Amino acid sequence: MSVDAFNSAVAEVHRPSSPLAPKEGDILGRIGSLETRLARTASEIDAAQAVRFRVFVEEMGAQLSPEAMRRKRDFDAYDAFCDHLLVLDRSIEGDSEDQIVGTYRLLRQEVAMANGGFYSASEFAIDELLARHPDKRFMELGRSCVLPDYRTKRTVELLWQGNWAYALKHGMSAMFGCASFPGIHPESHALALSFLHHNVAAKDEWAVTALPHLARDMDLMPAEAVNPKRALMALPPLIKGYLRLGAMVGSTAVVDKAFNTTDVLIVLPIASISDRYLNYYGADAGRFAS
């Protein structure tokens, strides 16, 4: 993935599916002192939640529950059954919990369905999308964040390496997830939102909208008034990165007041991923695996 692709951007739960002890063989990628793998323990998940709190609350101004604010952790019920992708800097002294510099939350369809559904379904009509693809297996990407000092090419590449290796391992057909613009006023992002609406809106079998009572219009400017170069510059890096891969975007947005964001839904069928990136990371996700 491109250099800037991911630069934007349950407290102490017990996870029976997690390994009981660290395993060298579960490393998904390495570049220099950085490595990516899934969280192995509840304490590592707790540390990832602390990283999320630093980015979402202290940096971006999210307002979480009183308990989350008191504990300085971003957590919810989904943390108990999601997998947590980590990027660790092994050059940092201390335990693995002290070395986490980036994280992503991954949720496979079969796990979501066994636990009440996908997180994004609280904002977008995910069930309708799934119903049109009964033969495909979806995974949700969420809670993406990287500490400021690590918003670099290497961290970006490892996050995508981890996502790609995970998708291959579990036979996923498509990825989706919320991506955010800062602030709760879509009109302040009229250029970028209109560009997405006119140029990369998911259509036909991949079409997806926000839930009716939450939907906010993205068609804020006529197509002829949208300067593509300026619009691309106005997009958050996470969204630009997804578009380079071949992603599409849902047709309407949602304002998330708690997280102080305007959310759009990214939809990325595996078959649509650009050959350029498949070749870069390897069809078997092998480029950074050793």
Side-chain angles (χ1 to χ4, degrees):
M1 178 171 276
S2 59
V3 173
D4 67 349
F6 286 89
N7 290 2
S8 90
V10 163
E12 293 294 348
V13 293
H14 174 62
R15 300 176 73 249
S17 61
S18 296
L20 297 179
K23 295 180 180 178
E24 181 65 18
D26 67 359
I27 305 300
L28 299 175
R30 285 195 182 94
I31 304 176
S33 65
L34 300 180
E35 72 177 34
T36 185
R37 60 169 173 79
L38 298 182
R40 296 164 172 161
T41 64
S43 61
E44 288 186 347
I45 296 171
D46 180 73
Q49 292 167 342
V51 169
R52 284 158 37 182
F53 186 93
R54 290 171 62 182
V55 173
F56 298 142
V57 177
E58 295 178 357
E59 182 179 345
M60 298 175 61
Q63 292 295 318
L64 307 181
S65 69
E67 176 68 6
M69 300 299 282
R70 182 186 69 80
R71 298 192 56 203
K72 295 189 176 183
R73 298 291 188 276
D74 166 43
F75 64 88
D76 63 23
Y78 287 83
D79 284 327
F81 49 83
C82 287
D83 284 317
H84 298 261
L85 184 69
L86 310 176
V87 173
L88 304 94
D89 183 354
R90 288 305 194 183
S91 70
I92 297 175
E93 292 187 7
D95 298 325
S96 61
E97 292 83 355
D98 305 312
Q99 299 171 337
I100 298 170
V101 299
T103 184
Y104 236 124
R105 193 166 74 177
L106 312 180
L107 179 56
R108 305 191 310 278
Q109 183 172 353
E110 60 268 30
V111 178
M113 295 303 102
N115 290 277
F118 285 109
Y119 176 86
S120 301
S122 65
E123 294 187 345
F124 295 92
I126 301 301
D127 290 344
E128 296 177 11
L129 176 64
L130 301 182
R132 293 197 297 270
H133 299 274
D135 59 329
K136 293 182 172 64
R137 302 178 69 208
F138 286 76
M139 64 179 276
E140 181 180 56
L141 309 178
R143 289 301 204 271
S144 169
C145 64
V146 176
L147 295 178
D149 289 346
Y150 287 87
R151 292 171 189 167
T152 64
K153 178 180 179 179
R154 294 194 304 172
T155 312
V156 167
E157 289 181 333
L158 280 180
L159 280 173
W160 185 250
Q161 166 76 20
N163 285 333
W164 179 231
Y166 184 92
L168 289 178
K169 176 180 178 181
H170 293 285
M172 297 292 103
S173 308
M175 308 178 193
F176 69 88
C178 296
S180 302
F181 289 83
I184 59 173
H185 302 290
E187 298 77 13
S188 66
H189 301 289
L191 177 63
L193 290 172
S194 298
F195 172 83
L196 296 176
H197 175 84
H198 293 303
N199 293 279
V200 293
K203 294 181 172 62
D204 302 323
E205 63 176 342
W206 295 104
V208 62
T209 63
L211 298 178
H213 66 289
L214 298 175
R216 300 290 294 271
D217 195 3
M218 293 169 58
D219 185 11
L220 302 174
M221 295 172 60
E224 60 271 17
V226 175
N227 181 310
K229 184 175 181 180
R230 289 182 55 215
L232 285 168
M233 292 176 62
L235 287 173
L238 176 63
I239 296 176
K240 279 194 286 190
Y242 281 134
L243 296 187
R244 289 191 180 103
L245 285 168
M248 301 170 284
V249 179
S251 60
T252 46
V254 172
V255 168
D256 186 340
K257 292 184 179 179
F259 274 83
N260 191 33
T261 58
T262 297
D263 299 340
V264 298
L265 190 77
I266 302 294
V267 181
L268 179 59
I270 297 295
S272 297
I273 296 178
S274 166
D275 288 343
R276 173 185 174 190
Y277 293 107
L278 290 181
N279 292 335
Y280 185 71
Y281 288 96
D284 62 350
R287 173 166 186 184
F288 301 115
S290 59

